[in-house]
Amino acid sequence: MSLQTLDLEVTGMSCAACAARLEKVLNRQTGLEAAVNFASSRAVITGAEGAPDLSAIEKLVEKTGFGLAHGEVTLSISGMSCAACSARVEKILNRLPGVTASVNLATEQALVQIINGAADEAVLVRAIEKAGFSAEPVQEQAPSRKDGSEQRRAVIDLAITALFCLPFLIGMIGMAVGRHDLVPLWLQGICASVVQIYSARHFYRSAWHALRTGAANMNVLVCLGTSIAYGFSLIVTIFDIDLPVYFEASAFVILLVSVGRLLEARARHRAAAGLEALLTLKPETANRVEGDRIIVCPVASLRLGDVFLLRPGEAVPVDGEVIDGETQINESMLTGEANPVLRRSGDTIYAGTLNTTGILRARATSLGADTALARIVALVSRAQGSKAPIQRLADRVSAVFVPTIIVIALLTFFIGWAVTGSMSWSLVSAISVLVIACPCSLGLATPTALMVGTGKAASVGILFRNAEALERACRLTVLAFDKTGTITLGEPCVHDIFPSAEMTAEALLALAAALEVNSEHPLGRAIVAEAKARGLDRPLNFERFRAVPGKGIEAWLADDRYLIGTKDYLVSEEVVGASEIVPENATTQAFVARNGSCLGVITLTDRIRPEAGAIMGWLHESNIRSVMLTGDSQIMAETIAREVGIDQISASLRPEGKVAAIEALRGPGQVIGMTGDGINDAPALAAADISIAIGSGSAAALETADLVLMSADLRAIQDALSLSRATVRKIKQNLGFAFGYNLAAIPLAACGFLSPAIAGGAMALSSVSVVTNSLLLNRWRSQRMPARSSRGI
């Protein structure tokens, strides 16, 4: 292969020696001449005849310890009419060096991964246009919206087609009452010609582009069938041959296929509505604060650090930090939670959420593509554009579908003529075979269900990273949980107080709170919060505070030395009575001492999420084994496991121990899931077959987790798994119908049981049926939200 000069971006180089090493390795290859620049992180490579191709070069760079930077482009494609079209566009793009593409017929988009420097948007667009389609980059990650004028033109064209088909309908009514000459033959010919030349022009144009590039699509079949029927009838009419004509067959096939295409397009638009609704959530204007004035300005004009005002009933324009005010914010579009949440100074508010009660002033912290809403749109759009493994069979069938149908139609004609002796019967049967075959239903079966399923998931705060994650989630057999912040609330609270004989419980709590008043440790904050709640937060003039990491706090009051911390810390400081006041139990303990004598113990516990028990029960009923992985003690882990009904525990684990525990769960047929906060449990999440980040809209979680649950409510897991099952079930139904339709309809048409007009109607309705079945996923309801209260995305 002869390479042109490529200017590629190299990742992973840390010094000039790295660049020199890579350059040396590349220049050793036959036909390659490379110059690697560390400062710009680029490699300029020129290849002669016989040089390695780009794929081989990338493997060589990776073997050397570096990588080539990749980019992602989303293209909106017009002109695709069936699965054969999308398969051809995908094949054309994947032939380009450094390009990996996935084309989705339902969204009419191509998600393209490119090696930076190997190709750009212009190259991709030219390749697609050369194949007879139109393409343009998508600026915003969302389904392409059909222009209203285009829809109107389609309706007008359909009306014209129906008008010129009207005489054929009158003729059919006449034949039913014995009048075979109600519509003269010359009028039938004129009407059929208008339909064939004007109404079918889009079919012919698409078929021509397909054949010109050596491929065939659905429109080739339609054009072949109708042209044969129309051409045969025209010859019979012109030369006055004593044979039947089939003008009505060609005209009605075009009419019915056009009706089907229009219904299909509208149904596909409804399938994309879940994601399109995201774009309507962010307001067009914002109330920017400039000194004493409130300026209404476009959201796009806001800059980082700008202060904006939010009134009741207004949607948040950008992500921001509250600097003044207090209100209830409806965050259902992000989390799926129906109840508004309190937001006050210091809290974060997100673009697209709805202010319900108070007035806020907030400072803009994230704009445009950096907002949580924009990241969610991008993630859902990528998921809708990806392909599920279950789609592979349909893709393989679609690739050879049209040529196979043409062969079957030819065999139908010649064998039928030989057996029956009737060329007319054989011709009609062959036309019916061409018209009734439908690769569209195969191509739409999976992506339309994915569009509805992922859109519905996003409306309740469930984000699937890709189609493979959605499909794999329904096959989970084991689900592991981190404890803190996942099964529990991650907010420790005072459980009990055990004072010594010389202290009261109130005095012990007040003393502990005074020692912990400046602590940032969660346990210290819990003690202070409990003291405040009881009105015991009395300040004491402690001096010489000293925090002992991982152990506790030392402080002095006059000549008295006070300690608060773990039992091991106090024992190491030779405190008397530290081992005797309270026996070991499942709670965390904070011991308080004065001058070497233990004054008592405050026990703390992390509250279990109220819904945890119900979710573990649901997992058990669903034959999914629940496992808790925690760094806490075995005693505490066993106590929580008993309370919520967890099947298996692994305690006292470090992060690497959680990874080993995940690996130990593996076995034949096991699909392992791991649920955590998306950051602290990163190694275990990466080790699992499907990683679930719960209660996290962080960029890290959105980029790494297979499944992001925006709500910390564990019922979101039930929602995610049930919706995954419903979507995969719908995909299987669609594929079963698409394959079953073609397997049943083609033999019926070949045997002469279906006229071309009926065949055309059946073909048109098959695609509509698949999309309509996918739309039934909209009936799915979240366990967390009332059926009619969702303001979801």
Side-chain angles (χ1 to χ4, degrees):
M1 174 183 176
S2 179
L3 286 177
Q4 296 180 348
T5 298
L6 296 173
D7 185 0
L8 307 177
E9 183 181 350
V10 181
T11 60
M13 295 192 298
S14 58
C15 63
C18 296
R21 179 157 58 94
L22 179 58
E23 184 175 302
K24 187 176 181 180
V25 170
L26 291 173
N27 283 323
R28 284 177 185 166
Q29 309 305 309
T30 303
L32 281 188
E33 183 179 333
V36 182
N37 187 315
F38 169 64
S40 62
S41 298
R42 306 197 77 82
V44 179
I45 304 173
T46 304
E49 194 70 35
D53 60 15
L54 185 55
S55 176
I57 291 173
E58 183 174 24
K59 290 178 182 177
L60 189 64
V61 172
E62 290 173 350
K63 187 177 180 182
T64 311
F66 309 107
L68 296 181
H70 288 69
E72 185 175 280
V73 176
T74 303
L75 299 175
S76 176
I77 302 172
S78 302
M80 295 190 299
S81 59
C82 66
C85 295
S86 58
R88 184 156 57 93
V89 173
E90 188 171 297
K91 188 175 181 181
I92 287 168
L93 289 174
N94 285 325
R95 283 176 183 167
L96 298 175
V99 173
T100 304
S102 174
V103 179
N104 190 313
L105 174 63
T107 60
E108 295 183 315
Q109 289 187 348
L111 185 63
V112 188
Q113 303 284 341
I114 59 176
I115 296 176
N116 292 347
D120 57 22
E121 292 177 348
V123 172
L124 302 176
V125 169
R126 281 198 300 271
I128 294 171
E129 288 178 345
K130 189 176 180 181
F133 302 94
S134 299
E136 61 180 4
V138 175
Q139 299 303 322
E140 192 165 22
Q141 293 292 324
S144 58
R145 301 188 180 196
K146 291 295 181 185
D147 184 79
S149 60
E150 185 179 336
Q151 290 286 329
R152 285 193 295 273
R153 284 197 300 272
V155 172
I156 291 171
D157 285 348
L158 185 61
I160 292 171
T161 305
L163 179 65
F164 282 92
C165 286
L166 188 60
F168 299 113
L169 180 61
I170 294 171
M172 291 178 188
I173 295 172
M175 285 188 285
V177 296
R179 293 288 306 274
H180 295 273
D181 56 349
L182 199 59
V183 180
L185 208 54
W186 63 266
L187 181 57
Q188 291 185 38
I190 291 174
C191 291
S193 298
V194 172
V195 172
Q196 198 71 33
I197 296 170
Y198 174 77
S199 302
R201 65 191 187 281
H202 305 297
F203 300 140
Y204 280 105
R205 188 181 300 120
S206 175
W208 164 246
H209 286 306
L211 294 173
R212 190 182 63 179
T213 54
N217 60 13
M218 179 69 214
N219 290 325
V220 171
L221 298 180
V222 172
C223 290
L224 269 176
T226 59
S227 296
I228 291 171
Y230 169 74
F232 175 81
S233 302
L234 194 61
I235 291 171
V236 168
T237 301
I238 292 173
F239 294 100
D240 198 21
I241 303 172
D242 188 19
L243 287 172
V245 295
Y246 303 101
F247 284 129
E248 78 286 348
S250 65
F252 271 110
V253 165
I254 292 170
L255 173 65
L256 292 171
V257 171
S258 298
V259 170
R261 293 275 171 88
L262 187 61
L263 293 175
E264 176 193 316
R266 290 186 173 181
R268 277 158 50 183
H269 180 78
R270 287 179 59 201
L275 182 54
E276 287 194 356
L278 280 166
L279 301 176
T280 67
L281 293 175
K282 191 172 71 173
E284 296 294 327
T285 60
N287 304 313
R288 183 166 56 204
V289 179
E290 296 182 0
D292 296 330
R293 297 187 303 159
I294 306 297
I295 307 297
V296 179
C297 65
V299 170
S301 69
L302 285 178
R303 297 292 178 262
L304 288 176
D306 282 356
V307 176
F308 60 89
L309 182 73
L310 195 64
R311 300 185 180 96
E314 293 181 339
V316 181
V318 295
D319 290 0
E321 180 184 356
V322 179
I323 58 176
D324 182 38
E326 183 177 295
T327 188
Q328 297 281 338
I329 298 283
N330 184 337
E331 295 183 347
S332 62
M333 53 75 59
L334 277 180
T335 65
E337 300 290 348
N339 296 323
V341 292
L342 180 65
R343 291 289 179 254
R344 51 166 67 104
S345 182
D347 291 339
T348 300
I349 56 176
Y350 298 98
T353 56
L354 184 66
N355 181 26
T356 60
T357 54
I359 296 177
L360 292 181
R361 288 176 186 258
R363 181 177 290 107
T365 56
S366 296
L367 308 173
D370 295 328
T371 64
L373 177 61
R375 293 197 301 268
I376 291 170
V377 172
L379 181 66
V380 178
S381 183
R382 283 201 301 270
Q384 292 188 345
S386 62
K387 288 190 176 182
I390 198 172
Q391 192 175 348
R392 290 169 186 159
L393 176 60
D395 286 345
R396 288 197 295 269
V397 172
S398 298
V400 297
F401 188 90
V402 175
T404 302
I405 293 302
I406 293 173
V407 170
I408 293 174
L410 289 172
L411 290 175
T412 298
F413 176 74
F414 289 113
I415 294 174
W417 194 358
V419 172
T420 65
S422 170
M423 185 192 73
S424 176
W425 183 92
S426 303
L427 182 65
V428 171
S429 299
I431 292 170
S432 296
V433 169
L434 291 170
V435 171
I436 203 167
C438 186
C440 298
S441 56
L442 290 173
L444 293 170
T446 301
T448 52
L450 284 174
M451 286 169 66
V452 179
T454 52
K456 190 69 178 176
S459 73
V460 291
I462 298 170
L463 308 174
F464 290 95
R465 180 167 174 76
N466 49 43
E468 186 175 358
L470 185 145
E471 183 181 337
R472 197 187 300 133
C474 76
R475 296 187 283 111
L476 273 183
T477 57
V478 180
L479 185 55
F481 294 85
D482 172 51
K483 180 185 77 69
T484 305
T486 303
I487 295 175
T488 64
L489 293 170
E491 300 171 359
C493 62
V494 172
H495 180 262
D496 210 342
I497 302 173
F498 296 85
S500 65
E502 59 184 285
M503 296 285 288
T504 64
E506 290 77 9
L508 181 64
L509 179 61
L511 177 60
L515 287 165
E516 296 280 9
V517 69
N518 295 316
S519 174
E520 291 298 321
H521 194 282
L523 298 179
R525 289 200 300 266
I527 291 173
V528 173
E530 181 68 17
K532 284 184 177 179
R534 298 191 187 191
L536 301 173
D537 52 331
R538 296 187 293 270
L540 297 174
N541 297 320
F542 283 107
E543 300 173 345
R544 290 184 283 166
F545 272 94
R546 184 173 71 93
V548 183
K551 294 183 178 180
I553 292 174
E554 177 190 45
W556 293 79
L557 181 61
D559 295 328
D560 294 327
R561 178 179 181 241
Y562 288 84
L563 301 175
I564 183 170
T566 64
K567 185 177 79 170
D568 290 342
Y569 174 47
L570 268 66
V571 169
S572 70
E573 295 292 326
E574 299 181 352
V575 172
V576 177
S579 302
E580 300 156 6
I581 291 184
V582 63
E584 284 286 346
N585 56 36
T587 58
T588 301
Q589 301 162 4
F591 287 75
V592 184
R594 180 178 60 206
N595 297 330
S597 177
C598 188
L599 299 177
V601 181
I602 298 174
T603 62
L604 301 100
T605 187
D606 191 357
R607 290 193 294 262
I608 295 173
R609 293 188 182 279
E611 73 277 7
I615 290 303
M616 299 308 161
W618 180 83
L619 290 173
H620 187 76
E621 293 173 2
S622 303
N623 297 316
I624 299 174
R625 185 156 47 106
S626 57
V627 179
M628 183 171 68
L629 308 180
T630 178
D632 283 335
S633 67
Q634 184 76 18
I635 295 175
M636 182 172 288
E638 288 176 352
T639 300
I640 292 176
R642 282 195 300 271
E643 186 168 342
V644 302
I646 292 176
D647 297 324
Q648 180 180 335
I649 60 171
S650 293
S652 304
L653 297 176
R654 289 180 168 273
E656 59 270 20
K658 291 185 179 182
V659 174
I662 291 289
E663 295 299 332
L665 293 171
R666 298 194 184 280
Q670 298 295 316
V671 179
I672 313 298
M674 173 66 193
T675 304
D677 62 12
I679 300 173
N680 298 335
D681 299 298
L685 288 167
D689 295 318
I690 181 165
S691 55
I692 304 174
I694 185 166
S696 178
S698 67
L702 289 173
E703 290 300 322
T704 58
D706 296 313
L707 175 55
V708 178
L709 308 177
M710 303 297 292
S711 169
D713 189 333
L714 288 176
R715 289 177 297 172
I717 294 174
Q718 180 179 352
D719 284 345
L721 298 186
S722 67
L723 185 54
S724 169
R725 292 172 181 174
T727 303
V728 171
R729 186 163 56 245
K730 201 60 72 175
I731 290 172
K732 290 179 178 178
Q733 290 172 4
N734 288 347
L735 287 173
F737 172 80
F739 278 112
Y741 163 82
N742 283 290
L743 288 173
I746 293 169
L748 287 173
C751 293
F753 293 115
L754 298 173
S755 70
I758 294 175
M763 185 273 290
L765 289 176
S766 65
S767 297
V768 178
S769 299
V770 165
V771 182
T772 303
N773 188 47
S774 296
L775 287 171
L776 293 178
L777 272 172
N778 284 313
R779 294 180 176 179
W780 179 89
R781 289 289 177 264
S782 166
Q783 295 295 311
R784 295 171 291 142
M785 300 187 72
R788 297 186 182 181
S789 68
S790 172
R791 182 188 169 261
I793 50 183

